[in-house]
Every structure is written in structure tokens, then in C-alpha cells.
Amino acid sequence: MINRFNRDQMAARVASDIPEGAYVNLGIGLPTMVANFLPQERDIFLQSENGLLGMGPQPPAGEEDWELINAGKQAVTLRQGGSYFHHGDSFAMMRGGHIDICVLGAFQVSIRGDLANWHTGEAGTIPAVGGAMDLAVGAKQTFVMMELLTKQGDSKLVETCTYPLTGLSCVSRIYTDLAVFSVGSTGASVIEMVDGLSLDNLRKLTGVPLSEFRGEAESRQ
Amino acid sequence: MIDKSVTSLEAAMGGIANGASVMIGGFGTAGMPDELIDALIARNIGDLTIISNNAGNGETGVAALIKAGRVRKIVCSFPRQADSHHFDAAYRAGRIELELVPQGNLAARIHAAGAGLGAIFTPTGFGTTLAQGKETRRIDGKDYVLELPIHADYALIKAHKGDRWGNLIYRKTARNFGPIMAMAAKTTIAQVAEIVPLGDLDPEVIVTPGIFVQRVVEVAPAYLAATA
């Protein structure tokens, strides 16, 4: 019996790897949930691409200010000590290497850390990229949070991405419902798995070469 | 005496003609200068190139401009949204051209225009389809893409307060693209919730100095009633 992580457990797992003092950008969708699991007593600075540092939780219903929103265009609040800035500065924070960690969703991640998360490339779909490419290559560390398998059972951790790329060699960690992976120039390794899963199971499910994680030195890119 | 304030939205739109390139501030509806856009629609001109982060939300702002058929081309980062139906319809019907630009490159290219730079080398987009055919260069072991500045004839932006010299301050995340678009356009038109007497804005906190702003028009704030 495999004890697959639910989305809350995945978000809590990502949150546990975010240290005090980190400047963090959470992508729209699943990664937004990580904020719910960051301990209040830990000073972690959430950045939102639309010009906000020190982002707080959603306001109570009826107290929304639609000039205070996050990247997903939801109403948010500003923590004491927070600040506002324009788009030039916001993306300088990313490209300039000032953001410590960004957490993004993904369609596919390759074992070398290539990311595909902005476009399926299907005919008839309207592409939209937003800040994904800037975040992926700009943040000091890019984490991906995703379910490991598609609804059809295909692995989203792949040898080579088949969807259009967001960035090359930019992802260092992948947090999924079944395992946490390190990816990079030396390939993919497994940091941990949920109960009931073996490395061999995981190799079969993903179809990619996987080693056991042997510490941070290995994952340096 | 220099007074950049204009008394009507109609007067604020003076000179904008067919085929103009127009930057429009805002991220979603935050900072979207809806009343300026309504005045632009009322001017009855078209063939516009719009530079804005999104391609319109719901029925107002850029969405209304697209619905009215005034936009030939849009340069933006995130057109497809749950409520971008007017853009989606125009795009699928082939009535509007799309130049998709990563959001940070959009900001950097706008800023480059305002700062007088001939181009920028950016790491964003390297190796992706959005950089296809573009010049690249490896600098200190890192790969960059050459991107050109984005200029515009006009910028329509929304700020919180302004004065007759065009100095502006903004409100919360409605600031977004306003300050850099003000720099990049030949003529920047700002709608503000309040025009205050010269000297009322603390010089230490003025975000956009008046040199970047040509017209200021007061529009009673609608933000409390607005929706996402």
C-alpha cells in the first residue's frame, strides 16, 4: 500500500525546506499552497511578481482591496515591513539572483533540470508565459511541485522534455506526491519516498535512471 | 506656469491617431486605467498596437478595447486567462496579432526604451521557442538573448496622486508597469485619484518624477468597487 501524499502534505513538505530569512516566490496554482504551511514565527519573505515583498495571507471576505493582489490576481495582504515596487524592480529581484527560492508547477521536468511549464504546444491553444521563464532562470534555486504522474500514468519526470521549454538546467528539486528528487547535471536522484514505495517501483513508474541521493555536494550544478 | 493637468478625459486623449502604439499599465485589473481606455474607445480610432501585461479581463479596460475592434496587435506576457474571452475570440478569428514576451523581458525592454538603451542581453527565454531566431551571446559562462527595447507613442497609466508638474505616487500593487511605461512613451497620460497642489507630494517618496509625464487627469477612484 503506497501512502501517496495529498496536496497539503506536498505543500508542507516543500515548506519544511524553506529556511528563515529566505526570499521566496511561489508560482500560481499548486505552489501557492506552500504559504499555508510556512510557520508564522519564521520570517520568510514572500515576493509576488506584480510588485510586492512581504506578502501576507488572503484577507477576510469583504475586506478585499483589488489593488493589493498576487500573481494569480487574488486579493492578498501585506505583512508589517512589506513593500511595493514596480515591475522593473520586481524582475530585477529574480534575474539579479536576489530571490533565494522559487516554487513552480510543471508539465515536465528533465533529469538534468530542464523545465517545461508554460505551454503544451497543442494546436489551437493560446500560449501565455507570464513570469515563469524569468523565475525559472533567475531564482538561486528553482523547486518544482507537481504530481509525479499524469492522469494517464505517464511520468512528468523525464529524460528529455517533449513540451516547449521554460528554461534549461534550472530546476534543482522536485517535490511530488510520491517522492522528492534532486535533479541536475549528474541526473536525477531520490531524496525520499513515501511509505510503501521502493526505488525499483519508482524506476518503473518514471522510466528514468534514478540513483539514491548522496547529499548536497552531488546536486550542485 | 507649467500645468500638465487636463480637465477632461477627452482632452487627455488629444493627438492619439490611427495606428498608434499605446502602452497600457495594469496587472489584471490592478492599475488598469479603465477611464482613459474608455476615452480612447470614444475617440473612434483603430489599428492600435497595445503593449500591456495581459490581454484584458472581463468587459473593461483592454478587454473593452479589443471587443471594440481597435487593436491590431498586442504585445503581452499573459493573454490567456479565465476571463480573457474577448482576446481569445479575436485571436482565434485571426483579428489580432500576438507578440508573446516573458514578463520580465517585457519590463526590461520597456525600461530599456525609457533609459535610452539600444538593446539588452537577458538570460530569460534562452533555449526556448520565444528566443528562436534571436541573437545570443555567452557572457562569463552564462547564455543571454538579445532583446530590443519597446517604445510607444503613448502610455496610459493609473496612479494614486499627481501634481501639475506630473509627479506621481501609486497605490499598492496598482503601481506595476506604470513607472517604466511612463519612461518609455513619447507621451505619458496618467489618470490619478487626486491632483494635489505642487509641493504636497513628499519629494522623498515621489515614484515617477514629472519629467516622464506629459498629461495628468483626475478621475474619481473606482478601485473599491472594482473586481478581479
Side-chain angles (χ1 to χ4, degrees):
Chain A
M1 170 77 189
I2 295 171
N3 287 315
R4 188 184 294 267
F5 272 7
N6 63 30
R7 293 181 155 206
D8 278 343
Q9 288 170 306
M10 288 166 67
R13 180 62 189 83
V14 176
S16 72
D17 277 356
I18 297 179
E20 173 135 49
Y23 289 89
V24 179
N25 184 298
L26 302 175
I28 56 179
L30 199 51
T32 307
M33 293 175 64
V34 173
N36 301 337
F37 296 92
L38 296 172
Q40 281 302 308
E41 67 278 9
R42 213 186 285 170
D43 270 340
I44 288 167
F45 307 103
L46 294 183
Q47 196 252 19
S48 189
E49 67 186 14
N50 53 316
L52 181 57
L53 194 58
M55 182 168 62
Q58 288 188 9
E63 289 178 31
E64 296 90 351
D65 178 341
W66 295 107
E67 289 191 339
L68 178 45
I69 59 172
N70 64 13
K73 303 182 176 78
Q74 299 160 310
V76 293
T77 51
L78 188 73
R79 289 182 61 176
Q80 194 171 39
S83 55
Y84 303 117
F85 37 86
H86 63 66
H87 254 79
D89 283 351
S90 180
F91 282 79
M93 290 177 192
M94 299 175 198
R95 279 192 313 269
H98 308 285
I99 299 290
D100 295 300
I101 297 168
C102 76
V103 185
L104 298 173
F107 296 142
Q108 288 176 327
V109 185
S110 82
I111 55 174
R112 306 207 179 277
D114 297 341
L115 172 67
N117 80 343
W118 72 281
H119 187 27
T120 61
E122 274 173 49
T125 59
I126 299 172
V129 65
M133 289 187 179
D134 305 275
L135 273 168
V137 303
K140 284 184 198 157
Q141 291 189 84
T142 297
F143 293 171
V144 160
M145 181 178 170
M146 65 181 190
E147 265 115 25
L148 183 58
L149 306 176
T150 65
K151 288 192 176 72
Q152 291 73 38
D154 298 323
S155 177
K156 290 153 83 173
L157 172 62
V158 294
E159 290 225 42
T160 307
C161 295
T162 53
Y163 287 129
L165 290 177
T166 305
L168 299 173
S169 309
C170 53
V171 178
S172 57
R173 287 285 166 89
I174 310 173
Y175 298 83
T176 75
D177 50 338
L178 292 172
V180 179
F181 302 89
S182 170
V183 292
S185 55
T186 58
S189 58
V190 180
I191 296 173
E192 61 193 48
M193 290 172 277
V194 298
D195 293 340
L197 195 63
S198 71
L199 192 55
D200 275 344
N201 287 154
L202 208 48
R203 286 186 177 122
K204 279 190 196 118
L205 284 172
T206 60
V208 301
L210 293 173
S211 59
E212 281 181 67
F213 185 66
R214 296 186 197 284
E216 290 296 336
E218 184 192 45
S219 64
R220 294 261 185 274
Q221 292 181 36
Chain B
M1 187 181 91
I2 293 301
D3 187 356
K4 296 181 182 179
S5 65
V6 291
T7 50
S8 74
L9 287 160
E10 191 186 357
M13 293 296 112
I16 306 185
N18 274 317
S21 54
V22 183
M23 291 179 173
I24 297 181
F27 182 91
T29 55
M32 179 68 63
D34 285 339
E35 288 79 1
L36 289 181
I37 295 168
D38 288 344
L40 182 60
I41 293 170
R43 219 176 143 70
N44 216 10
I45 51 161
D47 201 25
L48 300 173
T49 295
I50 298 297
I51 300 108
S52 194
N53 187 59
N54 302 106
N57 299 78
E59 302 297 324
T60 58
V62 171
L65 197 59
I66 291 170
K67 183 184 180 186
R70 308 300 170 76
V71 184
R72 180 181 66 77
K73 177 182 177 182
I74 186 156
V75 182
C76 71
S77 88
F78 209 77
R80 187 197 65 230
Q81 301 171 96
D83 57 355
S84 61
H85 41 271
H86 289 305
F87 169 78
D88 297 359
Y91 182 77
R92 291 188 201 287
R95 292 196 306 266
I96 192 166
E97 183 187 342
L98 169 66
E99 181 182 345
L100 189 70
V101 181
Q103 197 170 160
N105 285 357
L106 185 64
R109 293 173 64 188
I110 291 168
H111 185 261
L117 302 178
I120 52 161
F121 277 108
T122 171
T124 303
F126 180 85
T128 75
T129 54
L130 295 187
Q132 263 172 9
K134 293 180 176 171
E135 188 179 335
T136 61
R137 186 175 299 184
R138 176 164 284 201
I139 303 171
D140 285 340
K142 193 168 168 180
D143 293 310
Y144 297 86
V145 182
L146 185 82
E147 292 282 2
L148 299 177
I150 300 175
H151 297 271
D153 299 318
Y154 294 88
L156 310 185
I157 64 172
K158 182 180 184 180
H160 185 45
K161 291 182 182 178
D163 63 27
R164 68 177 172 85
W165 280 9
N167 296 308
L168 301 176
I169 63 168
Y170 298 82
R171 186 172 177 277
K172 302 188 179 182
T173 57
R175 182 182 308 194
N176 58 67
F177 282 91
I180 54 174
M181 287 181 170
M183 297 171 68
K186 290 192 195 96
T187 300
T188 292
I189 305 160
Q191 70 170 68
V192 298
E194 188 184 359
I195 295 179
V196 298
L198 204 64
D200 271 21
L201 298 178
D202 179 352
E204 296 286 2
V205 302
I206 288 172
V207 176
T208 296
I211 190 169
F212 298 128
V213 178
Q214 283 66 47
R215 298 174 199 163
V216 182
V217 60
E218 190 173 276
V219 176
Y223 51 82
L224 293 175
T227 58

mmCIF file of all heavy atoms in Angstrom, chain A residues 14-46:
data_model
loop_
_atom_site.group_PDB
_atom_site.id
_atom_site.type_symbol
_atom_site.label_atom_id
_atom_site.label_comp_id
_atom_site.label_asym_id
_atom_site.label_seq_id
_atom_site.Cartn_x
_atom_site.Cartn_y
_atom_site.Cartn_z
ATOM 1 N N VAL A 14 7.378 20.887 1.010
ATOM 2 C CA VAL A 14 8.152 21.984 0.408
ATOM 3 C C VAL A 14 8.468 23.028 1.480
ATOM 4 O O VAL A 14 9.607 23.479 1.620
ATOM 5 C CB VAL A 14 7.389 22.645 -0.759
ATOM 6 C CG1 VAL A 14 8.171 23.847 -1.291
ATOM 7 C CG2 VAL A 14 7.128 21.648 -1.884
ATOM 8 N N ALA A 15 7.445 23.390 2.257
ATOM 9 C CA ALA A 15 7.607 24.446 3.273
ATOM 10 C C ALA A 15 8.712 24.087 4.262
ATOM 11 O O ALA A 15 9.447 24.963 4.734
ATOM 12 C CB ALA A 15 6.287 24.674 4.001
ATOM 13 N N SER A 16 8.847 22.790 4.564
ATOM 14 C CA SER A 16 9.843 22.379 5.555
ATOM 15 C C SER A 16 11.272 22.619 5.062
ATOM 16 O O SER A 16 12.209 22.640 5.849
ATOM 17 C CB SER A 16 9.647 20.909 5.927
ATOM 18 O OG SER A 16 10.056 20.073 4.861
ATOM 19 N N ASP A 17 11.453 22.799 3.761
ATOM 20 C CA ASP A 17 12.789 23.059 3.196
ATOM 21 C C ASP A 17 13.059 24.546 2.979
ATOM 22 O O ASP A 17 14.069 24.916 2.363
ATOM 23 C CB ASP A 17 12.949 22.326 1.857
ATOM 24 C CG ASP A 17 13.347 20.865 2.055
ATOM 25 O OD1 ASP A 17 13.559 20.462 3.219
ATOM 26 O OD2 ASP A 17 13.433 20.132 1.051
ATOM 27 N N ILE A 18 12.161 25.407 3.429
ATOM 28 C CA ILE A 18 12.356 26.851 3.229
ATOM 29 C C ILE A 18 12.814 27.469 4.558
ATOM 30 O O ILE A 18 12.062 27.505 5.523
ATOM 31 C CB ILE A 18 11.061 27.508 2.713
ATOM 32 C CG1 ILE A 18 10.717 26.914 1.341
ATOM 33 C CG2 ILE A 18 11.240 29.023 2.635
ATOM 34 C CD1 ILE A 18 9.460 27.446 0.717
ATOM 35 N N PRO A 19 14.070 27.920 4.616
ATOM 36 C CA PRO A 19 14.616 28.394 5.886
ATOM 37 C C PRO A 19 14.211 29.824 6.228
ATOM 38 O O PRO A 19 13.800 30.596 5.348
ATOM 39 C CB PRO A 19 16.132 28.318 5.642
ATOM 40 C CG PRO A 19 16.285 28.551 4.188
ATOM 41 C CD PRO A 19 15.050 27.984 3.521
ATOM 42 N N GLU A 20 14.350 30.149 7.481
ATOM 43 C CA GLU A 20 14.115 31.517 7.935
ATOM 44 C C GLU A 20 15.009 32.476 7.147
ATOM 45 O O GLU A 20 16.169 32.176 6.855
ATOM 46 C CB GLU A 20 14.437 31.622 9.429
ATOM 47 C CG GLU A 20 14.397 33.055 9.959
ATOM 48 C CD GLU A 20 13.657 33.165 11.271
ATOM 49 O OE1 GLU A 20 13.948 32.365 12.160
ATOM 50 O OE2 GLU A 20 12.780 34.051 11.388
ATOM 51 N N GLY A 21 14.438 33.620 6.789
ATOM 52 C CA GLY A 21 15.214 34.639 6.086
ATOM 53 C C GLY A 21 15.209 34.501 4.583
ATOM 54 O O GLY A 21 15.738 35.353 3.876
ATOM 55 N N ALA A 22 14.583 33.433 4.063
ATOM 56 C CA ALA A 22 14.592 33.218 2.617
ATOM 57 C C ALA A 22 13.635 34.186 1.910
ATOM 58 O O ALA A 22 12.554 34.490 2.418
ATOM 59 C CB ALA A 22 14.200 31.778 2.302
ATOM 60 N N TYR A 23 14.069 34.655 0.746
ATOM 61 C CA TYR A 23 13.200 35.424 -0.157
ATOM 62 C C TYR A 23 12.651 34.438 -1.177
ATOM 63 O O TYR A 23 13.431 33.789 -1.884
ATOM 64 C CB TYR A 23 13.988 36.553 -0.824
ATOM 65 C CG TYR A 23 14.334 37.643 0.151
ATOM 66 C CD1 TYR A 23 15.518 37.601 0.887
ATOM 67 C CD2 TYR A 23 13.449 38.688 0.375
ATOM 68 C CE1 TYR A 23 15.818 38.586 1.816
ATOM 69 C CE2 TYR A 23 13.743 39.685 1.297
ATOM 70 C CZ TYR A 23 14.927 39.636 2.014
ATOM 71 O OH TYR A 23 15.217 40.600 2.937
ATOM 72 N N VAL A 24 11.329 34.313 -1.212
ATOM 73 C CA VAL A 24 10.698 33.191 -1.907
ATOM 74 C C VAL A 24 9.592 33.684 -2.825
ATOM 75 O O VAL A 24 8.788 34.539 -2.437
ATOM 76 C CB VAL A 24 10.086 32.206 -0.875
ATOM 77 C CG1 VAL A 24 9.406 31.041 -1.580
ATOM 78 C CG2 VAL A 24 11.151 31.694 0.089
ATOM 79 N N ASN A 25 9.532 33.138 -4.024
ATOM 80 C CA ASN A 25 8.403 33.398 -4.916
ATOM 81 C C ASN A 25 7.661 32.094 -5.145
ATOM 82 O O ASN A 25 8.269 31.093 -5.524
ATOM 83 C CB ASN A 25 8.892 33.966 -6.252
ATOM 84 C CG ASN A 25 7.735 34.344 -7.165
ATOM 85 O OD1 ASN A 25 6.953 33.485 -7.558
ATOM 86 N ND2 ASN A 25 7.620 35.614 -7.483
ATOM 87 N N LEU A 26 6.373 32.097 -4.876
ATOM 88 C CA LEU A 26 5.543 30.910 -5.089
ATOM 89 C C LEU A 26 4.732 31.100 -6.361
ATOM 90 O O LEU A 26 3.989 32.071 -6.488
ATOM 91 C CB LEU A 26 4.602 30.701 -3.892
ATOM 92 C CG LEU A 26 5.276 30.531 -2.527
ATOM 93 C CD1 LEU A 26 4.226 30.463 -1.418
ATOM 94 C CD2 LEU A 26 6.164 29.291 -2.501
ATOM 95 N N GLY A 27 4.887 30.208 -7.314
ATOM 96 C CA GLY A 27 4.164 30.301 -8.574
ATOM 97 C C GLY A 27 2.661 30.106 -8.371
ATOM 98 O O GLY A 27 2.216 29.664 -7.307
ATOM 99 N N ILE A 28 1.894 30.435 -9.405
ATOM 100 C CA ILE A 28 0.445 30.313 -9.274
ATOM 101 C C ILE A 28 0.046 28.839 -9.329
ATOM 102 O O ILE A 28 0.784 27.998 -9.820
ATOM 103 C CB ILE A 28 -0.315 31.160 -10.323
ATOM 104 C CG1 ILE A 28 0.114 30.811 -11.740
ATOM 105 C CG2 ILE A 28 -0.095 32.629 -10.079
ATOM 106 C CD1 ILE A 28 -0.631 31.621 -12.791
ATOM 107 N N GLY A 29 -1.121 28.532 -8.780
ATOM 108 C CA GLY A 29 -1.604 27.151 -8.728
ATOM 109 C C GLY A 29 -1.106 26.445 -7.481
ATOM 110 O O GLY A 29 -1.025 27.029 -6.405
ATOM 111 N N LEU A 30 -0.714 25.183 -7.648
ATOM 112 C CA LEU A 30 -0.290 24.332 -6.533
ATOM 113 C C LEU A 30 0.738 24.996 -5.599
ATOM 114 O O LEU A 30 0.582 24.939 -4.368
ATOM 115 C CB LEU A 30 0.248 23.022 -7.125
ATOM 116 C CG LEU A 30 0.356 21.769 -6.258
ATOM 117 C CD1 LEU A 30 -0.950 21.484 -5.535
ATOM 118 C CD2 LEU A 30 0.758 20.573 -7.140
ATOM 119 N N PRO A 31 1.798 25.628 -6.128
ATOM 120 C CA PRO A 31 2.808 26.201 -5.222
ATOM 121 C C PRO A 31 2.252 27.247 -4.245
ATOM 122 O O PRO A 31 2.817 27.435 -3.163
ATOM 123 C CB PRO A 31 3.823 26.836 -6.180
ATOM 124 C CG PRO A 31 3.697 26.026 -7.428
ATOM 125 C CD PRO A 31 2.235 25.711 -7.543
ATOM 126 N N THR A 32 1.165 27.911 -4.620
ATOM 127 C CA THR A 32 0.573 28.913 -3.720
ATOM 128 C C THR A 32 0.238 28.310 -2.360
ATOM 129 O O THR A 32 0.284 28.985 -1.337
ATOM 130 C CB THR A 32 -0.714 29.485 -4.364
ATOM 131 O OG1 THR A 32 -0.384 29.941 -5.671
ATOM 132 C CG2 THR A 32 -1.280 30.647 -3.570
ATOM 133 N N MET A 33 -0.068 26.992 -2.353
ATOM 134 C CA MET A 33 -0.466 26.318 -1.108
ATOM 135 C C MET A 33 0.676 26.232 -0.093
ATOM 136 O O MET A 33 0.431 26.037 1.101
ATOM 137 C CB MET A 33 -0.953 24.896 -1.413
ATOM 138 C CG MET A 33 -2.248 24.870 -2.209
ATOM 139 S SD MET A 33 -2.695 23.172 -2.674
ATOM 140 C CE MET A 33 -2.960 22.451 -1.054
ATOM 141 N N VAL A 34 1.919 26.372 -0.571
ATOM 142 C CA VAL A 34 3.071 26.284 0.344
ATOM 143 C C VAL A 34 2.970 27.347 1.432
ATOM 144 O O VAL A 34 3.343 27.115 2.593
ATOM 145 C CB VAL A 34 4.400 26.417 -0.445
ATOM 146 C CG1 VAL A 34 5.590 26.496 0.498
ATOM 147 C CG2 VAL A 34 4.557 25.248 -1.413
ATOM 148 N N ALA A 35 2.432 28.506 1.070
ATOM 149 C CA ALA A 35 2.329 29.618 2.035
ATOM 150 C C ALA A 35 1.543 29.206 3.283
ATOM 151 O O ALA A 35 1.830 29.679 4.385
ATOM 152 C CB ALA A 35 1.669 30.824 1.374
ATOM 153 N N ASN A 36 0.580 28.307 3.107
ATOM 154 C CA ASN A 36 -0.253 27.885 4.247
ATOM 155 C C ASN A 36 0.539 27.091 5.275
ATOM 156 O O ASN A 36 0.053 26.881 6.390
ATOM 157 C CB ASN A 36 -1.418 27.013 3.766
ATOM 158 C CG ASN A 36 -2.299 27.727 2.766
ATOM 159 O OD1 ASN A 36 -2.324 28.954 2.743
ATOM 160 N ND2 ASN A 36 -2.994 26.986 1.924
ATOM 161 N N PHE A 37 1.726 26.628 4.903
ATOM 162 C CA PHE A 37 2.478 25.742 5.799
ATOM 163 C C PHE A 37 3.794 26.355 6.278
ATOM 164 O O PHE A 37 4.619 25.675 6.869
ATOM 165 C CB PHE A 37 2.720 24.396 5.103
ATOM 166 C CG PHE A 37 1.429 23.672 4.832
ATOM 167 C CD1 PHE A 37 0.771 23.831 3.628
ATOM 168 C CD2 PHE A 37 0.843 22.892 5.818
ATOM 169 C CE1 PHE A 37 -0.448 23.197 3.385
ATOM 170 C CE2 PHE A 37 -0.374 22.257 5.590
ATOM 171 C CZ PHE A 37 -1.015 22.409 4.370
ATOM 172 N N LEU A 38 3.987 27.650 5.984
ATOM 173 C CA LEU A 38 5.181 28.327 6.497
ATOM 174 C C LEU A 38 4.854 28.796 7.916
ATOM 175 O O LEU A 38 3.885 29.516 8.112
ATOM 176 C CB LEU A 38 5.537 29.527 5.607
ATOM 177 C CG LEU A 38 5.921 29.165 4.166
ATOM 178 C CD1 LEU A 38 6.049 30.432 3.323
ATOM 179 C CD2 LEU A 38 7.220 28.367 4.124
ATOM 180 N N PRO A 39 5.637 28.381 8.909
ATOM 181 C CA PRO A 39 5.320 28.755 10.293
ATOM 182 C C PRO A 39 5.322 30.278 10.462
ATOM 183 O O PRO A 39 6.226 30.955 9.960
ATOM 184 C CB PRO A 39 6.449 28.118 11.102
ATOM 185 C CG PRO A 39 7.141 27.175 10.193
ATOM 186 C CD PRO A 39 6.872 27.602 8.800
ATOM 187 N N GLN A 40 4.308 30.800 11.139
ATOM 188 C CA GLN A 40 4.174 32.255 11.325
ATOM 189 C C GLN A 40 5.398 32.847 12.021
ATOM 190 O O GLN A 40 5.770 33.983 11.761
ATOM 191 C CB GLN A 40 2.914 32.564 12.136
ATOM 192 C CG GLN A 40 1.628 32.506 11.318
ATOM 193 C CD GLN A 40 1.628 33.463 10.139
ATOM 194 O OE1 GLN A 40 1.893 34.656 10.306
ATOM 195 N NE2 GLN A 40 1.350 32.951 8.947
ATOM 196 N N GLU A 41 6.011 32.073 12.927
ATOM 197 C CA GLU A 41 7.118 32.631 13.703
ATOM 198 C C GLU A 41 8.413 32.695 12.886
ATOM 199 O O GLU A 41 9.381 33.318 13.296
ATOM 200 C CB GLU A 41 7.343 31.834 14.999
ATOM 201 C CG GLU A 41 7.846 30.413 14.809
ATOM 202 C CD GLU A 41 6.749 29.409 14.485
ATOM 203 O OE1 GLU A 41 5.589 29.823 14.241
ATOM 204 O OE2 GLU A 41 7.054 28.198 14.457
ATOM 205 N N ARG A 42 8.411 32.060 11.700
ATOM 206 C CA ARG A 42 9.599 32.099 10.847
ATOM 207 C C ARG A 42 9.479 33.290 9.899
ATOM 208 O O ARG A 42 8.508 33.391 9.168
ATOM 209 C CB ARG A 42 9.651 30.795 10.039
ATOM 210 C CG ARG A 42 11.054 30.288 9.750
ATOM 211 C CD ARG A 42 11.032 29.083 8.824
ATOM 212 N NE ARG A 42 10.602 27.857 9.472
ATOM 213 C CZ ARG A 42 10.317 26.721 8.793
ATOM 214 N NH1 ARG A 42 10.405 26.682 7.478
ATOM 215 N NH2 ARG A 42 9.931 25.649 9.433
ATOM 216 N N ASP A 43 10.462 34.193 9.901
ATOM 217 C CA ASP A 43 10.423 35.327 8.972
ATOM 218 C C ASP A 43 10.855 34.852 7.594
ATOM 219 O O ASP A 43 12.046 34.655 7.325
ATOM 220 C CB ASP A 43 11.358 36.454 9.449
ATOM 221 C CG ASP A 43 10.641 37.435 10.371
ATOM 222 O OD1 ASP A 43 9.388 37.478 10.343
ATOM 223 O OD2 ASP A 43 11.329 38.161 11.104
ATOM 224 N N ILE A 44 9.859 34.654 6.720
ATOM 225 C CA ILE A 44 10.131 34.274 5.334
ATOM 226 C C ILE A 44 9.471 35.332 4.470
ATOM 227 O O ILE A 44 8.330 35.713 4.716
ATOM 228 C CB ILE A 44 9.580 32.869 5.038
ATOM 229 C CG1 ILE A 44 10.453 31.828 5.751
ATOM 230 C CG2 ILE A 44 9.543 32.594 3.536
ATOM 231 C CD1 ILE A 44 9.860 30.451 5.799
ATOM 232 N N PHE A 45 10.219 35.839 3.487
ATOM 233 C CA PHE A 45 9.735 36.968 2.702
ATOM 234 C C PHE A 45 9.150 36.466 1.389
ATOM 235 O O PHE A 45 9.896 36.016 0.514
ATOM 236 C CB PHE A 45 10.876 37.941 2.428
ATOM 237 C CG PHE A 45 11.612 38.363 3.682
ATOM 238 C CD1 PHE A 45 12.840 37.816 3.992
ATOM 239 C CD2 PHE A 45 11.048 39.282 4.549
ATOM 240 C CE1 PHE A 45 13.517 38.202 5.146
ATOM 241 C CE2 PHE A 45 11.706 39.669 5.708
ATOM 242 C CZ PHE A 45 12.946 39.121 6.010
ATOM 243 N N LEU A 46 7.839 36.539 1.254
ATOM 244 C CA LEU A 46 7.201 36.105 0.014
ATOM 245 C C LEU A 46 7.160 37.264 -0.967
ATOM 246 O O LEU A 46 6.678 38.353 -0.642
ATOM 247 C CB LEU A 46 5.789 35.582 0.279
ATOM 248 C CG LEU A 46 5.692 34.298 1.104
ATOM 249 C CD1 LEU A 46 4.228 33.859 1.223
ATOM 250 C CD2 LEU A 46 6.529 33.178 0.485
#
